[in-house]
Amino acid sequence: MDKTTHFGFKDVDTDDKQGLVRGVFDSVASKYDLMNDVLSFGAHRLWKRYTIASSNVKAGDKVLDIAGGTGDLAIEFRKKVGDSGQVVLSDINAAMLGEGRKNLINNGVFGVEFVQLNAQRIPFADNTFDCVSIAFGLRNVTDKDQALAEMWRILKPGGCLLILEFSKTDSELLKKFYDFYSFNVMPKLGGIIADDEESYQYLAESIRKHPDQETLKSMVLNAGFGFCEYHNLSGGIVALHKGIKT
Amino acid sequence: MQHFVLEQALNYLIDQGNADLSALNGKTLHFALEDLPLNVNFVCTNNRIFVTTDTSIGADVDIKLKSSVFLALLQGEDLTELLRQDKIVIHGDVKTAQLLVDLLQQLDIDLEEALSKYTGDIIAHQVGKLAKNFKTSDNPLEALKNELTTLLVAPSKSSLFKNKGS
């Protein structure tokens, strides 16, 4: 692996990125859901709903939600798999996982397991899950290829990987608005609401450094998935990649 | 987006216990309409169906047909009869194709509505009507000929519209 990697627009030592990302999420954990609602004008709820619908998860399935943070997806997956299934909500960040636990209790959702894990070394056996999801988490992973290989390993044959992530829009007009909003409005709102302008500057930068739709599709296929397709949401600002382990 | 709807509908059928996927498990079926942009793989695995636009990997069965034939098929037209009339091209195991057709025939999707996104309401309705007549007629070719004329604008009528925009 390279000795340096990107942290937003900065080049940092590969070994340091994980700690820096942890710092960001330690800082924003308590305001994470509120900020998502404000920054996306509530659209993140629609993107996640589409992700759940695309999963084809059914009663009795085993689902792992990686970088699951405050548990939005886990709550919906739990409803789908029922008591005969299993949902594991995981995150590398203890503070985010704590928020997830609180959120699930507040929503009256029980029976979800919590695991603090690193997506590059997932502590589950081969062929365990019917579905693995990662929403707005992959861009923060240092070695994405390694993480995708791990996700392929723990999925059962026929299992489905869902990656919901910020991506690239083709619309020049939308791109201009989005760039202005990302670099001028988002950090300011982060400063006002979460008292952390820097973390939301990182958010904007990390989105620009994340692979575009086609590149990520190639990465998913290279990880071993037999099929991969993506759907652009909100004009490509966000994309849902769906890989199937054959 | 149509393939998303198709996927949701098929998996709903499976979830409700109205469709048995066991014979299709592990199979990939490539399905293409020759006259409309529907070109998908049905990946049957883990007791569910994924309908994907990623058709880069070879399929076990390759099915190609026109949209009107597809409509007729969904309305119960016999697959072997369509094969005999060369209205549908199947490469691979016909029995596997038949299983997919059986599954699709259980769907209650308004295909005229889906077609109308590409063709407009009038043509979509005419294609739907054509498919219905095609199924019920003793002489499908005659029905096809009659219905096709309704899809075309007669020369006398087209002259009425010639200078409409000017």
Side-chain angles (χ1 to χ4, degrees):
Chain A
M1 198 164 67
D2 293 341
K3 284 197 185 313
T4 60
T5 187
H6 54 81
F7 175 72
F9 288 161
K10 293 179 201 138
D11 283 326
V12 296
D13 197 282
T14 301
D15 295 335
D16 293 342
K17 178 167 175 174
Q18 197 173 305
L20 290 164
V21 171
R22 189 191 309 128
V24 168
F25 285 92
D26 279 346
S27 167
V28 302
S30 62
K31 296 277 171 57
Y32 188 78
D33 276 344
L34 174 65
M35 284 304 293
N36 278 349
D37 278 332
V38 171
L39 295 179
S40 74
F41 307 106
H44 77 103
R45 295 182 186 275
L46 298 175
W47 301 330
K48 287 170 183 167
R49 199 176 293 175
Y50 181 72
T51 304
I52 296 287
S54 298
S55 71
N56 293 321
V57 161
K58 55 175 73 174
D61 277 358
K62 290 184 175 186
V63 180
L64 172 66
D65 185 25
I66 300 173
T70 51
D72 294 0
L73 291 182
I75 289 170
E76 296 306 317
F77 279 134
R78 178 69 180 83
K79 290 178 194 165
K80 282 198 159 252
V81 304
D83 290 338
S84 57
Q86 181 188 21
V87 176
V88 179
L89 169 55
S90 71
D91 205 296
I92 195 169
N93 187 288
M96 290 297 288
L97 216 48
E99 288 298 318
R101 193 188 295 270
K102 266 195 265 178
N103 200 20
L104 263 65
I105 292 169
N106 289 343
N107 279 280
V109 176
F110 301 95
V112 170
E113 293 162 42
F114 297 86
V115 176
Q116 188 175 357
L117 60 77
N118 182 339
Q120 292 168 210
R121 290 181 296 279
I122 302 175
F124 289 104
D126 299 358
N127 309 321
T128 301
F129 293 97
D130 298 285
C131 178
V132 170
S133 63
I134 178 165
F136 305 112
L138 190 65
R139 73 178 188 285
N140 298 313
V141 174
T142 307
D143 188 343
K144 295 174 183 61
D145 291 320
Q146 169 71 25
L148 291 169
E150 279 290 90
M151 293 173 204
W152 180 87
R153 181 184 65 76
I154 58 162
L155 273 169
K156 292 177 186 171
C160 176
L161 168 68
L162 296 162
I163 304 169
L164 182 66
E165 190 54 271
F166 292 106
S167 205
K168 303 279 188 291
T169 176
D170 283 338
S171 161
E172 279 305 311
L173 192 66
L174 188 58
K175 190 175 177 302
K176 275 181 190 160
F177 164 77
Y178 184 47
D179 280 347
F180 177 81
Y181 178 73
S182 303
F183 291 107
N184 297 285
V185 181
M186 261 170 39
K188 296 279 182 253
L189 284 173
I192 294 164
I193 299 169
D195 196 22
D196 186 354
E197 192 170 325
E198 208 177 322
S199 291
Y200 285 90
Q201 179 70 29
Y202 162 74
L203 171 71
E205 292 177 3
S206 66
I207 291 168
R208 300 314 187 278
K209 297 298 280 185
H210 187 65
D212 65 15
Q213 289 90 329
E214 281 297 326
T215 308
L216 183 54
K217 179 182 171 178
S218 303
M219 289 165 71
V220 171
L221 291 171
N222 287 340
F225 288 86
F227 295 91
C228 180
E229 66 176 359
Y230 61 84
H231 301 279
N232 285 333
L233 305 170
S234 301
I237 287 175
V238 166
L240 175 66
H241 282 72
K242 186 165 161 180
I244 303 162
K245 180 175 176 178
T246 47
Chain B
M1 194 54 85
Q2 316 87 299
H3 70 282
F4 172 72
V5 176
L6 203 54
E7 181 179 284
Q8 297 297 300
L10 285 168
N11 285 296
Y12 179 77
L13 271 183
I14 296 163
D15 280 355
Q16 297 302 305
N18 296 330
D20 181 14
L21 202 63
S22 52
L24 278 173
N25 250 331
K27 305 272 188 201
T28 299
L29 297 95
H30 175 236
F31 184 92
L33 293 183
E34 291 167 351
D35 50 349
L36 286 177
L38 183 68
N39 183 19
V40 293
N41 267 342
F42 289 86
V43 184
C44 309
T45 180
N46 202 18
N47 205 31
R48 68 204 77 196
I49 293 184
F50 293 99
V51 184
T52 171
T53 51
D54 180 0
T55 54
S56 55
I57 289 185
D60 300 294
V61 182
D62 195 37
I63 305 168
K64 278 189 186 138
L65 68 169
K66 286 199 163 62
S67 56
S68 57
V69 180
F70 182 42
L71 283 170
L73 202 57
L74 292 183
Q75 284 162 8
E77 184 66 28
D78 185 33
L79 178 69
T80 45
E81 180 59 25
L82 290 170
L83 271 171
R84 198 180 60 76
Q85 293 173 20
D86 288 336
K87 292 190 185 306
I88 181 165
V89 179
I90 296 178
H91 293 295
D93 183 16
V94 177
K95 279 184 186 165
T96 306
Q98 179 70 62
L99 288 169
L100 178 69
V101 169
D102 289 348
L103 208 55
L104 291 170
Q105 281 176 339
Q106 290 183 58
L107 292 179
D108 188 18
I109 290 181
D110 188 346
L111 278 147
E112 282 182 29
E113 173 63 26
L115 267 179
S116 67
K117 290 187 179 72
Y118 301 103
T119 62
D121 290 340
I122 296 169
I123 292 178
H125 174 67
Q126 294 294 350
V127 172
K129 211 170 115 190
L130 188 150
K132 278 176 199 141
N133 288 349
F134 185 87
K135 185 191 159 194
T136 52
S137 172
D138 292 335
N139 187 348
L141 283 176
E142 191 60 28
L144 190 70
K145 196 184 96 189
N146 291 340
E147 291 300 331
L148 274 178
T149 57
T150 65
L151 287 174
L152 304 171
V153 179
S156 60
K157 284 183 185 169
S158 70
S159 64
L160 292 172
F161 298 100
K162 200 176 276 176
N163 299 315
K164 194 89 176 168
S166 58

